[in-house]
Every structure is written in structure tokens, then in C-alpha cells.
Amino acid sequence: MSAQPVHQHSAERPRVPRTIGGISNALRGARRAQFFAELLEAQQGPELDGVLTAWWGRAMLDTDPHRDRVRAAAEGGTLPTTSMDDIARRRQERTTS
């Protein structure tokens, strides 16, 4: 028996390709229509890049294999959290050790 991950994705082949088609195929329900509405209104350049970047992030969340479990934990108040102060302290500890 091997210990291979169930969901293999690499930097070369992300779960959701950073393309209009890849993003569109990954979005759930009415979110796809919202994506296309924003896409059709965006001007070529930074504005279009911003729309693609924002919606790629949403598509990645929509296709996260742990999405439902994480959401249930968040709604149930059992999702582990940390403060920015804790993160800063841990980073500081790593740089001084």
C-alpha cells in the first residue's frame, strides 16, 4: 500500500487552470453567470487580469475537496483559528532560532 495523496495537483497542473474556460468549468451554479457578466464588462489589461484572478480564487475554493468539511467546521465553531499576533510571533521565533 502506498501513501499517495488522493488529490494530486502540481504547480504545473493546478486543480483549476487559470483560463476563462478553466474558471468557468469550475464555478458552481449562478456563480458562472456572475463570472461571465464581470468578464464581459472588464477592459483588457489590469482590470481583466483582476477579474480573472478574483474568480480563479473563487473557483479554487469551489473545487476544494475539503470545502464542505471546512465550511461545516466554520459554521459549527470548531474550525481551528489563529491570530495575526500568533503568526507574527511564530515567524519571529523562526528567524531568531
Side-chain angles (χ1 to χ4, degrees), residues 74-96:
E75 289 174 348
T78 60
L79 185 67
T81 59
T82 190
S83 70
M84 287 304 296
D85 290 338
D86 287 341
I87 292 170
R89 182 184 45 75
R90 281 187 240 153
R91 290 185 80 187
Q92 182 62 33
E93 288 171 358
R94 279 197 307 252
T95 59
T96 57

Side-chain angles (χ1 to χ4, degrees), residues 21-62:
I23 295 166
S24 172
N25 289 336
L27 292 170
R28 296 179 175 190
R31 291 167 64 84
R32 182 179 291 162
Q34 288 177 289
F35 167 62
F36 279 116
E38 287 185 31
L39 189 65
L40 292 171
E41 293 297 317
Q43 291 188 21
Q44 184 176 8
E47 185 179 0
L48 179 60
D49 293 343
V51 169
L52 290 172
T53 298
W55 280 99
W56 179 79
R58 293 173 187 144
M60 288 293 288
L61 291 173
D62 279 358

